[in-house]
Amino acid sequence: MKNVLPCFWILIAAVSAFAEGGETGKSTHPFEVTFVKRLPAAEIAPVYDPKLPGYRFDAEIATVKIRPLAGKPPDKLVMLIRTSPGMPPMLEGFTLQAPDRSVTTGLKLASEEIRFNATPGRAEVRAREYFEVNVVGQDVQIVFLPKAMGLLKKECTVTWVDWYRH
């Protein structure tokens, strides 16, 4: 009976660590995500939420760097963006800049504009193949589809704007 109690606590620790995402009990982040620019400026850093799985942001206009970390990249990434407080959620422009192309879309657009670095003046407009964009409560949710996940194998920049100010 003496050996049962220590084994029980080891089992509880192992289950807790697994539920948190790793052996150490800490959630593992698949990417290093940092703000390059953020409006309005505040001290709130991107928050990793393993339930999404992805990151939560609070910014009307922002640019973030996304750098993959060691290990197997995830199959899915979600960005949940809280835009203008007191206004309906909106994302007029959302751009992923990868080393060889940029992909731009928005909440009200059913298409994506793809620009390849080899031909900077020419853009292809296609149905959505890289992102799924939806309103979820007071946030805008961007789901990176497999084509976008393929671009995240290298460092990328993501820029968004809630409302274009004309």
Side-chain angles (χ1 to χ4, degrees):
M1 191 68 172
K2 285 183 188 180
N3 294 336
V4 172
L5 193 55
C7 290
F8 174 76
W9 289 114
I10 290 170
L11 178 62
I12 294 296
V15 168
S16 296
F18 178 76
E20 291 293 323
E23 292 177 21
T24 62
K26 295 181 182 176
S27 296
T28 56
H29 297 252
F31 302 96
E32 178 184 326
V33 179
T34 55
F35 277 114
V36 174
K37 178 176 91 171
R38 181 180 185 276
L39 297 171
E43 296 299 319
I44 301 170
V47 175
Y48 180 69
D49 183 345
K51 292 177 188 166
L52 287 175
Y55 296 85
R56 295 178 180 273
F57 299 90
D58 186 5
E60 297 170 14
I61 300 170
T63 300
V64 295
K65 288 267 188 207
I66 300 178
R67 187 175 65 82
L69 297 176
K72 181 183 180 294
D75 295 329
K76 177 180 175 184
L77 177 68
V78 175
M79 292 177 71
L80 203 57
I81 302 171
R82 172 78 36 106
T83 57
S84 304
M87 303 270 301
M90 175 53 80
L91 210 58
E92 283 198 64
F94 182 86
T95 302
L96 171 67
Q97 178 66 53
D100 68 338
R101 76 191 74 172
S102 69
V103 182
T104 301
T105 192
L107 182 61
K108 301 289 184 183
L109 301 174
S111 62
E112 297 170 331
E113 182 180 277
I114 297 107
R115 291 189 186 274
F116 295 91
N117 290 350
T119 56
R122 198 174 130 246
E124 295 180 21
V125 178
R126 301 181 190 163
R128 289 206 178 156
E129 299 176 333
Y130 289 84
F131 304 105
E132 182 182 304
V133 185
N134 300 298
V135 172
V136 176
Q138 293 298 308
D139 302 321
V140 179
Q141 179 188 59
I142 296 90
V143 178
F144 286 61
L145 299 175
K147 280 191 171 187
M149 292 304 297
L151 297 176
L152 292 178
K153 291 178 182 175
K154 296 191 176 182
E155 182 176 280
C156 293
T157 303
V158 172
T159 303
W160 68 84
V161 60
D162 57 349
W163 303 90
Y164 287 125
R165 280 95 171 142
H166 300 282

